[in-house]
Amino acid sequence: MAVYALTGFSLVSLLSFGYLSWDWMKPSLVADVATDPVEKSLPPTFARPPHIVFILTDDQGYHDVGYHGSDIQTPTLDRLAAEGVKLENYYIQPICTPSRSQLITGRYQIHTGLQHSIIRPRQPNCLPLDQVTLPQKLQEAGYSTHMVGKWHLGFYKKECLPTRRGFDTFLGSLTGNVDYYTYDNCDGPGVCGYDLHEGEDVAWDQSGKYSTFLYTQRVSKILASHSPKEPIFIYVAFQAVHTPLQSPKEYIYRYRSMGNVARRKYAAMVTCMDEAVKNITWALKKYGYYDNSVIVFSTDNGGQTFSGGSNWPLRGRKGTYWEGGVRGIGFVHSPLIKRKRRTSWALVHITDWYPTLVSLARGNLSNVPGLDGYNVWPAISEGKESPRTEILHNIDPLYNHAKYGSLEDGFGIWNTAVQASIRVGEWKLLTGDPGYSDWIPPQTLTNFPGSWWNLERLTDGLRKSVWLFNITADPYERYDLSDQRPDVVRTLLMRLVHYNRTAIPVRYPAENPRAHPDFNGGAWGPWASEEDGDEWEGGGEPLKSRNKKKKCKICKLRSFFRKLNTRLMSNRI
């Protein structure tokens, strides 16, 4: 029997708030698996292809939106969601690069080679160049395409840049996280550089502007200069609310009574982002786009609970395959939705946006076979049943193998030491090490978020390598049914075997010292040529750049820490 330690939040109180369900032994069968990822439905009969604005936030927790009962003020998101369709059975990936790659390609990460970790700044790696991206398909359909915000899909070659992958314009950062004002990013001690780019050039002149404001102003400028008679796609990938926790003071002041400092800063960043979405919506209306527009809002992964985020009442956090890492905030707001003002429980995954948006744009999907996403627009707009019945959360053969996993525990068909997770119908299976498994209530106290009095911790089960949950009846993953339902475990393991046979090799090359910003004018950017290939090693002294107008303030002591950094970065997400 699992032993739980919870002070301040009792089991009875969880039941009274509706956070638990007792219908967890329901003997349902695994749903049938759909055979064609792209639903063969006719495209919607809009008068014109709709304008599409896709808003992606970074590290925003499941609990961190007003309509999920948060203590954070998000009036714009609440209103847009209430007037549109809330997606309450919506899944993303547990970390940055995987979610972004699946959005852009419509494919699981096992089918792009990006199934392990993230793309790190010094790796000769990027979204595979043979993948036809979502913006490229929209360009084919006659759309003007623009990206504002965080890329994080690789940049070691110019061919990897957003403007080479389907976007007409780009303003944003290429790496995973930067300072919100200076745009400096350190990939470990002493490996630092500037990361804000306009198209394919370094945007030195934009330093000092808070990124949420800068990106919102750029979206407004794009809309003002474009004709609403021509279809447009804008991908707004906010840096917010990823660390570092930085916000204009006026937003922090609103949360001055919040005792937890990290939560206070984080809340301020969320509210600032909410106002940015308000300004984008206002610009759509001002410049004549709104009546023929579709706004999609999505988070990229679960919240980082030790940096102010909250996924309560879900289990786990960013970087894990528990629901707190992979269940996202999502909604669609559009005058074109037929059945508005409702909550949808249709199963939707981030890969589904590719075929859904291309279909809305009347684009051609026949030349991109093998998509893992489905066209879910009929489910969203009309309330029809979702064509999706299962989700492969991932199979990561490189992640640390679970100590107690074995082929024997996997019925001789699957090594349960391998980190993997899949949902089929109502059932969710996890193998290997799924990641940090606690439940962390909202961090409103003054103590450190991980302290014992606001953390509910599972104290046994550490010798396990297989978990099974009826995720419909038990969305908070409190009742492991792997021992009671070995038949379901075996069925889902067979699905993992099936997917693993279709996986391509993991693409996770060693870091290359040539990528150091000192060799590239003080900024992060492409450093290899087409002729260099993936294994090009390069060398020489740091290059002097005429365009370098500033130095990263914290780019010192580089050589001393380089060897240490290699070890530190192996554990960094």
Side-chain angles (χ1 to χ4, degrees):
M1 177 67 69
V3 178
Y4 302 96
L6 175 61
T7 302
F9 293 87
S10 68
L11 186 61
V12 174
S13 68
L14 291 170
L15 283 167
S16 67
F17 286 120
Y19 286 145
L20 296 182
S21 169
W22 290 110
D23 186 22
W24 52 274
M25 285 296 290
K26 183 177 179 181
S28 58
L29 299 177
V30 174
D32 293 334
V33 178
T35 56
D36 186 3
V38 181
E39 187 184 34
K40 303 299 184 180
S41 60
L42 294 174
T45 56
F46 300 148
R48 304 189 311 274
H51 308 296
I52 301 170
V53 178
F54 195 103
I55 300 173
L56 187 71
T57 60
D58 199 338
D59 285 10
Q60 183 179 358
Y62 178 83
H63 184 70
D64 299 328
V65 66
Y67 66 84
H68 281 173
S70 179
D71 54 342
I72 299 176
Q73 301 167 21
T74 58
T76 301
L77 300 184
D78 298 345
R79 177 178 58 80
L80 292 177
E83 294 173 355
V85 176
K86 299 175 185 176
L87 304 177
E88 292 299 327
N89 205 5
Y90 175 56
Y91 286 86
I92 48 183
Q93 295 306 113
I95 49 178
C96 301
T97 296
S99 280
R100 294 160 202 275
S101 69
Q102 296 191 48
L103 166 65
I104 291 293
T105 66
R107 302 179 193 275
Y108 292 140
Q109 58 206 91
I110 64 164
H111 295 146
T112 59
L114 299 175
Q115 54 266 59
H116 180 66
S117 191
I118 59 173
I119 295 178
R120 303 189 184 280
R122 287 176 285 167
Q123 284 182 314
N125 196 11
C126 71
L127 189 73
L129 299 177
D130 61 350
Q131 293 291 324
V132 179
T133 67
L134 172 60
Q136 286 172 332
K137 295 303 295 181
L138 293 176
Q139 282 182 331
E140 290 178 8
Y143 275 68
S144 174
T145 59
H146 307 268
M147 180 179 173
V148 180
K150 172 178 168 178
W151 176 238
H152 207 186
L153 289 174
F155 57 87
Y156 79 106
K157 293 180 180 180
K158 284 190 174 181
E159 289 77 9
C160 302
L161 297 176
T163 48
R164 307 288 181 101
R165 305 311 304 271
F167 289 104
D168 297 325
T169 68
F170 169 67
L171 174 68
S173 60
L174 299 174
T175 61
N177 65 294
V178 299
D179 186 284
Y180 281 73
Y181 292 96
T182 67
Y183 301 95
D184 293 335
N185 176 26
C186 282
D187 185 37
V191 188
C192 308
Y194 184 82
D195 182 18
L196 183 65
H197 297 259
E198 173 90 55
E200 299 183 6
D201 298 321
V202 181
W204 297 108
D205 59 323
Q206 300 293 344
S207 178
K209 301 176 182 178
Y210 187 66
S211 72
T212 303
F213 294 160
L214 177 66
Y215 295 156
T216 305
Q217 292 166 0
R218 174 51 57 94
V219 173
S220 181
K221 182 177 180 181
I222 291 170
L223 292 172
S225 61
H226 187 77
S227 170
K229 296 181 180 180
E230 301 296 329
I232 190 170
F233 170 60
I234 306 179
Y235 171 36
V236 188
F238 282 117
Q239 176 186 354
V241 288
H242 197 290
T243 53
L245 298 179
Q246 296 173 302
S247 172
K249 292 182 179 179
E250 59 267 28
Y251 293 94
I252 297 178
Y253 185 75
R254 300 184 191 186
Y255 297 99
R256 60 191 180 280
S257 62
M258 190 174 286
N260 185 292
V261 176
R263 182 73 172 166
R264 185 191 312 159
K265 294 179 179 179
Y266 175 92
M269 296 165 70
V270 173
T271 296
C272 181
M273 176 274 296
D274 180 83
E275 290 193 4
V277 175
K278 176 182 178 180
N279 290 333
I280 290 173
T281 307
W282 180 83
L284 287 170
K285 294 179 178 179
K286 177 182 179 180
Y287 297 114
Y289 297 87
Y290 178 78
D291 290 341
N292 188 42
S293 69
V294 174
I295 302 172
V296 180
F297 181 90
S298 172
T299 51
D300 71 334
N301 47 246
Q304 180 53 272
T305 53
F306 292 150
S307 299
S310 176
N311 305 303
W312 182 258
L314 302 180
R315 185 176 185 176
R317 65 187 187 196
K318 172 184 178 179
T320 77
Y321 289 96
W322 304 107
E323 292 292 284
V326 297
R327 183 170 287 207
I329 301 172
F331 66 79
V332 180
H333 178 95
S334 172
L336 306 176
I337 294 175
K338 293 183 179 179
R339 292 184 56 197
K340 304 179 182 67
R341 300 180 179 274
R342 65 185 181 86
T343 297
S344 170
W345 294 95
L347 188 61
V348 178
H349 184 249
I350 195 167
T351 54
D352 297 331
W353 297 120
Y354 186 112
T356 299
L357 299 182
V358 173
S359 296
L360 282 175
R362 302 177 186 175
N364 179 17
L365 289 169
S366 63
N367 58 351
V368 281
L371 292 179
D372 295 306
Y374 295 79
N375 177 10
V376 293
W377 183 253
I380 293 171
S381 178
E382 304 171 44
K384 294 184 177 180
E385 186 176 352
S386 173
R388 176 178 288 282
T389 59
E390 72 178 41
I391 296 171
L392 176 68
H393 292 302
N394 195 25
I395 301 171
D396 185 349
L398 297 190
Y399 194 81
N400 296 334
H401 282 201
K403 184 177 181 180
Y404 298 99
S406 67
L407 189 62
E408 180 181 359
D409 288 342
F411 298 96
I413 60 175
W414 182 263
N415 183 357
T416 63
V418 174
Q419 186 192 63
S421 182
I422 188 171
R423 174 172 171 175
V424 180
E426 296 178 325
W427 296 101
K428 178 181 177 181
L429 180 78
L430 303 99
T431 70
D433 179 3
Y436 186 87
S437 63
D438 294 336
W439 295 266
I440 303 180
Q443 299 121 47
T444 57
L445 305 178
T446 57
N447 55 286
F448 181 73
S451 298
W452 64 269
W453 56 87
N454 73 334
L455 172 67
E456 181 179 1
R457 174 159 290 166
L458 184 65
T459 57
D460 72 354
L462 299 179
R463 294 175 179 269
K464 289 181 61 63
S465 63
V466 178
W467 294 262
L468 178 72
F469 301 96
N470 184 323
I471 213 67
T472 301
D474 177 26
Y476 315 121
E477 298 170 299
R478 292 179 176 271
Y479 305 104
D480 175 17
L481 305 179
S482 58
D483 291 337
Q484 292 94 324
R485 297 300 303 269
D487 57 321
V488 179
V489 171
R490 184 181 179 89
T491 300
L492 268 62
L493 288 176
M494 287 298 297
R495 292 304 297 162
L496 287 178
V497 171
H498 162 77
Y499 278 112
N500 200 44
R501 288 171 179 161
T502 70
I504 68 173
V506 178
R507 181 180 173 89
Y508 196 73
E511 294 179 344
N512 191 310
R514 183 64 184 83
H516 197 299
D518 279 6
F519 293 87
N520 297 283
W524 293 103
W527 48 270
S529 67
E530 181 64 30
E531 292 75 22
D532 291 325
D534 293 346
E535 302 303 322
W536 186 70
E537 288 296 330
E541 294 298 320
L543 300 179
K544 304 295 183 181
S545 172
R546 297 179 183 178
N547 295 325
K548 183 178 178 182
K549 299 182 179 181
K550 64 187 291 293
K551 293 183 178 180
C552 175
K553 296 178 181 178
I554 49 179
C555 293
K556 296 180 179 180
L557 302 176
R558 294 187 175 97
S559 59
F560 180 80
F561 288 106
R562 278 175 183 165
K563 292 184 179 179
L564 175 63
N565 178 61
T566 301
R567 293 183 179 180
L568 292 175
M569 292 310 297
S570 65
N571 294 320
R572 182 181 175 212
I573 292 181

